[in-house]
Amino acid sequence: MTRILADLPDEDIKWLDQLAAEQGKSRAAVLREAVEAYRAESHKEGFEKYFGLWERHGSTVDGLEYERQLRDEWPDVSDVALAKKKRSAA
């Protein structure tokens, strides 16, 4: 393992220290875990990068059901086509 020197803003150091204290870890351990997580995500591309995104962030909403609910808010296209036919026939 190699030690490094990194300059971080004071507010980031305070945040890291608070997080480390909450987790009962050292600041260095939190930083090692952050780099490890970043490396695991950074090599992913396209579909692999975003698949399961909601779940990874704690969402319990089913993405497909959410999409269906949004589409239910859209007007019925058949109603629009019927109204156009009536206007053109008049």
Side-chain angles (χ1 to χ4, degrees):
M1 193 173 301
T2 303
R3 293 179 67 95
I4 65 165
L5 177 64
D7 294 324
L8 296 173
D10 290 340
E11 56 270 6
D12 289 346
I13 295 295
K14 289 176 186 174
W15 179 80
L16 278 170
D17 287 344
Q18 180 181 356
L19 185 63
E22 289 170 3
Q23 296 181 3
K25 300 175 183 175
S26 67
R27 182 193 303 160
V30 173
L31 286 170
R32 281 191 296 272
E33 290 173 3
V35 170
E36 182 181 337
Y38 182 77
R39 286 185 65 195
E41 288 297 315
S42 67
H43 79 280
K44 295 179 181 179
E45 293 184 14
F47 182 75
E48 183 183 36
K49 185 174 185 175
Y50 300 108
F51 184 78
L53 183 65
W54 287 20
E55 186 176 347
R56 284 197 305 268
H57 291 281
S59 177
T60 57
V61 175
D62 177 84
L64 184 56
E65 181 57 33
Y66 180 75
E67 181 181 336
R68 287 182 181 137
Q69 288 174 0
L70 288 177
R71 289 181 182 213
D72 284 344
E73 296 174 1
W74 297 354
D76 186 355
V77 177
S78 60
D79 293 343
V80 174
L82 183 61
K84 280 186 177 181
K85 282 183 183 180
K86 285 181 182 179
R87 280 195 307 262
S88 64

